[in-house]
Amino acid sequence: MKRAHRMPFGTSLTAHGVHFRLWAPAAQRVALQLVKDDGEESISMTSSVDGWFDSIVPHARPGSRYRYRIDDKLNVPDPASRCNPDDVHAPSQVIDPNAYVWKDSEWRGKPWETAVIYEIHVGAFTAEGTFRAVVERLDYLIALGVTAIELMPVADFPGQRNWGYDGVLQFAPDSSYGKPEDLKYLVDTAHQKGLMVFLDVVYNHFGPEGNYLHAYAPQFFTERHHTPWGAAINFDGEGSRVVRDFFIHNALYWLEEFHFDGLRFDAVHAIVDDTKPHILIELAEAVHAGPGQERHVHLMLENDHNTSRYLQRDAASRSRWYTAQWNDDIHHVAHVLATDEIDGYYADYADQPVKHFLRCLTQGFAYQGEKSPFRHGEIRGEPSGSLPLTAFISFMQNHDQVGNRAFGERLAMQADPTALRALTAAILLAPSPPLLFMGEEFGASQPFQFFCHFGADLADAVRDGRRREFAQFARFSDPARRESIPDPNDVATFERSKLDWAQITTSPHDAWLTFYKTLLGLRQQVIVPRLAKMQGGHAEGTMIGERGLCIRWRLGDDSVLTLHANLGNEASPGFARPIGEIVYATENLSSDNVMAPWSAAWYINKSSEV
């Protein structure tokens, strides 16, 4: 089985040689610079309408290095490069996508309700930090109860280390992790073991170093809209058709040529598009009309605006566009409950956090059109109660919520273990698909800090800017304290963030691992088989006192799942006697109608008469 995605730019292999194609509407002349042992051969490219330049080179072949020379003065890599072996400023490499022979020809993916997602940073997940090294941990993840891994962005970024959100070559897996065939081998092996593989992609901006598009294709950007990173991607102005196609093809490329099972779209609230259909709609429809017709393909959003319309279902309860969204609300309120922190965006959940938590577990978003105190009264969110709860991905931790702390400390290093167990149980056994951040399951003590590898001038700006960001917090008001915040460009910051796998056999990490395995095993055995066809609006929640809650979900097979929980430091009376068989209870459960501090119990009733 061979797989290749055809696209209107970059390189393609033909019977007459390699076809090179570049969109450079601001350039007068473009030359292809073919790298040879004795220098570079310059080949003039033919200019055609609408800014396209192309050339077919008979003696180019897979493995050939090349770049483009713009107007006789600037050398640039191919923005649609499939591989840039020597980083983002160096020549690109011709790749034959059909050279890899796939072994997963029978793979059709898995239904969404089976998803238990494990988020991975390839560089920090193992000591080696490569695609091949991830393969060595797949059996561990299967034993844990994971059904899908999600890779943080791998598009080529500047330097040897980065979170991935500074990618500039969207089609090239970063060479620090391995070759394109190594990433294909990871996906292929995961499929043979029954694991889905998702990829995080960034379509809201390009990274600040190594992006040459401004020089020859400024139509990629627009000053009509702005983002936290500057001028927005041009999805709705002059020249935007090519820009839209660039990103739509990028999504199809990862899904078809690398056989990913789905994509997670980063911060789509920063994608601005005034046309119809919106780029998010057009992209999703292209996916559903392509690879989505042949197998399960799942599209996920990160969207601070809580725009529920993208999650709509059709008459058969299938997602029209996007399968699910990362539910930041449930993380934020769980963090407030676990730590009592109310700085920054946590302030939105300081008032009645258990009530917010209950709303997330029963309706998806906590904010569905209410005013956000953190955003100075701005209305945030759209109603989400009619959507199935499988449209919301829940988590206690992820790369953002750990790594954007000043010192990148994980929740196990901040919260009381008893409180953390109760909250974790609530998330892992609720209907919404859960996401784990690598190492969470064994209470890893290593931080996950913000790291990058920029050139000297930009590195200083990033370090100083990050420290200024924390000046608004009282505990960093002292300049000396701010100076202790790790330098993102220091290689030691990256090395500190690598998981120490030796911990899984030591206390208390082994106990955490057993805890997670137990819960995820129960999820697959008791909860997942009942989630198919679950409808929205079929959950009821009641507050018991100030910190207790009772929730009942009617699942897809008409059985009823019940949660009793006390998320406070005092015992909570007033719980009605539960109906059904007990599924799981925290060790500190005291009785059916009085819940001990930070306790939780789950029950399943297979009868629909509840």
Side-chain angles (χ1 to χ4, degrees), residues 422-439:
L423 290 163
T424 300
I427 283 179
L428 294 187
L429 294 180
S432 294
L435 176 141
L436 283 60
F437 181 57
M438 62 178 199

Side-chain angles (χ1 to χ4, degrees), residues 1 105 170 256 283 310 346 499 531 545 549 596:
M1 171 69 71
S105 59
Q170 301 293 338
E256 294 178 349
L283 188 154
Y310 295 125
Y346 294 131
L499 288 180
L531 292 179
L549 56 81

Side-chain angles (χ1 to χ4, degrees), residues 88-108:
V88 298
H89 302 290
S92 303
Q93 184 177 44
V94 177
I95 295 294
D96 177 5
N98 286 315
Y100 184 87
V101 180
W102 291 82
K103 299 180 176 64
D104 66 348
S105 59
E106 300 302 316
W107 179 257
R108 295 295 178 269

Side-chain angles (χ1 to χ4, degrees), residues 219-293:
Q219 291 87 338
F220 257 89
F221 308 94
T222 177
E223 293 291 342
R224 293 176 57 242
H225 310 300
H226 283 81
T227 73
W229 307 280
I233 303 293
N234 175 28
F235 288 115
D236 58 5
E238 183 179 353
S240 62
R241 182 65 263 165
V242 176
V243 178
R244 293 169 79 95
D245 287 343
F246 182 87
F247 288 100
I248 290 171
H249 275 282
N250 185 254
L252 294 171
Y253 166 78
W254 292 119
L255 293 169
E256 294 178 349
E257 196 158 304
F258 286 81
H259 213 203
F260 279 100
D261 297 282
L263 303 172
R264 180 261 192 189
F265 298 86
D266 178 67
V268 299
H269 52 269
I271 294 175
V272 188
D273 180 10
D274 289 337
T275 59
K276 291 184 179 180
H278 191 283
I279 181 61
L280 290 176
I281 300 297
E282 184 179 354
L283 188 154
E285 290 179 345
V287 169
H288 291 312
Q293 286 192 325

Side-chain angles (χ1 to χ4, degrees), residues 467-534:
R467 289 172 177 173
R468 281 195 302 272
E469 286 179 10
F470 287 97
Q472 61 182 303
F473 297 98
R475 60 185 179 277
F476 293 107
S477 58
D478 179 4
R481 175 68 170 162
R482 292 199 297 276
E483 288 297 310
S484 69
I485 296 174
D487 178 359
N489 213 59
D490 186 344
V491 67
T493 304
F494 170 61
E495 294 296 335
R496 277 193 299 271
S497 301
K498 285 178 173 277
L499 288 180
D500 177 6
W501 287 97
Q503 286 191 336
I504 63 176
T505 59
T506 64
S507 179
H509 309 289
D510 53 353
W512 276 113
L513 184 56
T514 298
F515 173 72
Y516 271 79
K517 282 185 175 180
T518 298
L519 289 173
L520 293 179
L522 289 170
R523 179 179 185 84
Q524 293 301 329
Q525 178 185 353
V526 180
I527 311 300
V528 167
R530 296 181 165 88
L531 292 179
K533 300 181 181 180
M534 185 179 178

Side-chain angles (χ1 to χ4, degrees), residues 394-451:
S394 297
F395 43 87
M396 289 293 295
Q397 301 178 65
N398 65 31
H399 73 274
D400 267 331
Q401 310 307 336
V402 176
N404 283 330
R405 298 180 66 82
F407 297 101
E409 64 271 36
R410 294 165 177 270
L411 201 51
M413 301 296 106
Q414 307 168 59
D416 174 78
T418 304
L420 190 53
R421 279 192 290 271
L423 290 163
T424 300
I427 283 179
L428 294 187
L429 294 180
S432 294
L435 176 141
L436 283 60
F437 181 57
M438 62 178 199
E440 170 189 340
E441 75 281 5
F442 60 88
S445 60
Q446 294 78 48
F448 184 74
Q449 298 177 336
F450 179 68
F451 49 81

Side-chain angles (χ1 to χ4, degrees), residues 544-549 565-567 570-575 593-597:
I544 309 293
E546 293 185 1
R547 306 284 286 198
L549 56 81
N566 176 13
L567 305 179
E570 304 293 333
S572 178
F575 285 83
N593 61 352
V594 178
M595 300 290 290

